[in-house]
Amino acid sequence: MDIIIAVAILGGLGLIFGLVLAAASKVFYVETDPRLDQLNECLPGANCGGCGYAGCGGYAEAVLNGEAPIGRCASGGNECAQAMASIMGVKAEVVTRKVALVRCSGEKHYDKDGNLTSGARVKAKYEGFKDCLSASKVGGSGPLSCKFGCLGFGTCVKACKYNAIKIVNGVAKVNEDRCVGCMSCAAVCPRKLIVPVEPKRNVVIACASLAKGAVTTRGCTVGCIGCGLCKKICPQEAITIERNLAIIDYTKCDNCGLCATVCPKKLIKDSNVEKL
Amino acid sequence: MTESILGIILSALLTENFILVKFYGICPFMGVSKKIDTALGMGMAVTFVMALASAACYGVDLILQALSLTYMQTVVFILVIASIVQVVEMFLKKAVPALYKALGVFLPLITTNCAVLGVVLVNVQEGYGFLHSVVNGAAGGLGFTLAIVLFASVRERVDKAECPECFKGFPIALITAGLLALAFMGFSGLKIF
């Protein structure tokens, strides 16, 4: 008898609560725009935050409310932008894929006795938190001689949701196949070394040193000294030297790779010559 | 009256802290404590639900007592808590969207949290009245918030610090939680008057 009462009470309670929930879902029904779900489906759902909104859901809502432009999603690329545009009933520009580039070539190589053969010179041993921001705040602007170079403590590695960055010989390297161009690494780099570039446009200046040539040379064997050889040889006149650093104007550059061949420091990388 | 309420608050916050002394609700404590922001959100949601569940289950318990079915408390309370959280979630989405956004994903997460069930069962065991039950629920939730926020802030620092490879990540978090619990054990014996 007891068991029947118990089952009846519990079943009855379950039924009542079920009915209350069903009623509540009718009473408190909130209409949502069906386009929101569609937009959410287009987005990759990685929540990388590269668009500047709190995850893919936040971006979809912002697009729906007309607050954000279409095509901010780097990891979705062109396909995603076009799909979102067709949902919203507008035309989107073609979005080209970009990948992150670490503008530093200072990979450290040592000989048997521990002397530096090439790369950035380490002036002090840093023993604090293994974090680039912490390291860059140490007096004398960090353990490297070069005030601009990659510290190599891997803050960007931790920030990358796609596991695309690796520290090789003390310098961060981006795996271009994995990189989706969300640039969350660029946001955390205290030296602002990471910039977006087109993946096939691999004539890139892999240095960010604005110091004078002599100072750069003292700190690193592969730093840009602003010698201007690349500027002279460029047939498209795409290279300029600003504050002791070569800069390529990609609207003019045709990827010929001549600059990479003349650079005395071998820091202009050309994908036709060598893979980064 | 005030003395007993103050006593309940003190014990729920410190001496009988739900996480660090009673070891209820360890799952969200370990899971949602990587950042202080999310820990705080979780804590707020738990406080809200605990107070609400204490109030609702007090009423349901009266009915069970009248039918002399007190042996079914646990299973009935689970049912009550789960449906209350669902209704509250729907209500908030409609009526207070801002609060709904703030509590966000945490509300459904704590539907089946044992800390919520624990506080309700403690209320029944101690024979608290309506006011005392609600106070115990709210203070228990605040105790949860205190513990999880403390833990999250420690964890944020420990994540950056150097530690042996074999302790990295979860192991060191477990050890941290143990040390924190040890510290809270120091509160035992604390009394008002």
Side-chain angles (χ1 to χ4, degrees), chain A residues 6 32 36 89 99 125 158 273:
Chain A
T32 48
L36 188 64
V99 294
K125 192 170 179 229
K158 281 183 211 144
V273 178

Side-chain angles (χ1 to χ4, degrees), chain A residues 17-220:
Chain A
F17 287 137
L19 289 175
V20 169
L21 278 181
S25 73
K26 281 264 155 51
V27 175
F28 300 126
Y29 181 70
V30 183
E31 268 189 45
T32 48
D33 198 323
R35 287 182 299 174
L36 188 64
D37 287 335
Q38 291 174 343
L39 286 175
N40 267 321
E41 258 170 49
C42 294
L43 290 164
N47 294 322
C48 64
C51 52
Y53 291 88
C56 295
Y59 178 54
E61 224 176 293
V63 168
L64 191 69
N65 297 336
E67 291 160 10
I70 286 166
R72 280 281 193 87
C73 180
S75 75
N78 191 34
E79 217 173 282
C80 164
Q82 301 303 335
M84 288 177 83
S86 70
I87 291 170
M88 295 301 293
V90 292
K91 267 203 170 153
E93 285 169 29
V94 174
V95 180
T96 47
R97 182 172 170 253
K98 293 256 171 104
V99 294
L101 166 80
V102 183
R103 292 182 298 149
C104 180
S105 311
E107 281 185 44
K108 298 161 200 68
H109 296 283
Y110 299 95
D111 63 12
K112 267 183 290 178
D113 308 321
N115 299 317
L116 190 77
T117 51
S118 75
R121 194 159 282 119
V122 178
K123 67 177 168 190
K125 192 170 179 229
Y126 171 73
E127 290 193 328
F129 273 166
K130 293 278 179 254
D131 178 80
C132 298
L133 183 59
S134 305
S136 68
K137 295 284 184 227
V138 174
S141 64
L144 288 181
S145 284
C146 174
K147 278 203 294 190
F148 306 91
C150 176
L151 293 158
F153 289 114
T155 300
C156 51
V157 177
K158 281 183 211 144
C160 182
K161 295 218 172 63
Y162 302 91
N163 211 3
I165 308 182
K166 219 168 57 177
I167 304 290
V168 181
N169 293 326
V171 172
K173 290 276 164 202
V174 178
N175 179 334
E176 293 189 357
D177 295 329
R178 286 190 180 169
C179 179
V180 299
C182 72
M183 304 314 282
S184 33
C185 48
V188 297
C189 179
R191 303 229 146 154
K192 305 281 169 249
L193 278 179
I194 310 180
V195 291
V197 290
E198 288 169 33
K200 295 299 167 209
R201 180 83 75 178
N202 257 345
V203 188
V204 290
I205 311 277
C207 182
S209 173
L210 300 176
K212 287 202 172 107
V215 179
T216 303
T217 312
R218 242 178 279 144
C220 182

Side-chain angles (χ1 to χ4, degrees), chain B residues 1-22:
Chain B
M1 187 71 173
T2 32
E3 265 175 45
S4 63
I5 285 183
L6 281 178
I8 287 175
I9 293 176
L10 184 74
S11 82
L13 270 180
L14 299 176
T15 53
E16 294 289 321
N17 187 297
F18 272 92
I19 294 181
L20 293 173
V21 179
K22 285 189 174 153

Side-chain angles (χ1 to χ4, degrees), chain B:
Chain B
M1 187 71 173
T2 32
E3 265 175 45
S4 63
I5 285 183
L6 281 178
I8 287 175
I9 293 176
L10 184 74
S11 82
L13 270 180
L14 299 176
T15 53
E16 294 289 321
N17 187 297
F18 272 92
I19 294 181
L20 293 173
V21 179
K22 285 189 174 153
F23 306 119
Y24 293 152
I26 299 297
C27 163
F29 180 64
M30 299 309 293
V32 211
S33 57
K34 278 200 177 140
K35 276 188 186 155
I36 296 181
D37 299 352
T38 48
L40 200 61
M42 187 72 190
M44 288 295 120
V46 167
T47 309
F48 184 64
V49 171
M50 270 189 173
L52 210 66
S54 297
C57 288
Y58 176 76
V60 174
D61 190 48
L62 284 184
I63 299 171
L64 287 184
Q65 275 173 2
L67 296 170
S68 61
L69 283 172
T70 43
Y71 64 91
M72 279 170 62
Q73 274 166 347
T74 311
V75 64
V76 171
F77 287 166
I78 292 175
L79 200 61
V80 172
I81 292 167
S83 22
I84 279 183
V85 175
Q86 289 296 311
V87 174
V88 165
E89 199 193 346
M90 285 188 245
F91 172 74
L92 285 183
K93 199 171 178 185
K94 178 87 173 179
V96 204
L99 189 61
Y100 176 76
K101 268 202 175 152
L103 297 181
V105 291
F106 301 122
L107 262 184
L109 262 184
I110 47 182
T111 311
T112 49
N113 187 339
C114 63
V116 180
L117 183 65
V119 78
V120 177
L121 290 175
V122 166
N123 288 340
V124 175
Q125 270 166 22
E126 300 282 329
Y128 287 150
F130 181 74
L131 184 64
H132 287 78
S133 295
V134 175
V135 168
N136 190 33
L142 288 177
F144 181 97
T145 313
L146 177 72
I148 199 170
V149 170
L150 280 177
F151 185 51
S153 44
V154 174
R155 240 178 126 174
E156 272 188 5
R157 278 167 174 260
V158 166
D159 264 1
K160 286 249 163 71
E162 251 179 281
C163 87
E165 195 67 37
C166 54
F167 283 124
K168 259 184 194 161
F170 217 73
I172 196 77
L174 285 172
I175 292 171
T176 314
L179 289 175
L180 213 55
L182 267 181
F184 264 70
M185 286 293 176
F187 287 120
S188 61
L190 195 65
K191 265 188 196 146
I192 291 189
F193 310 118

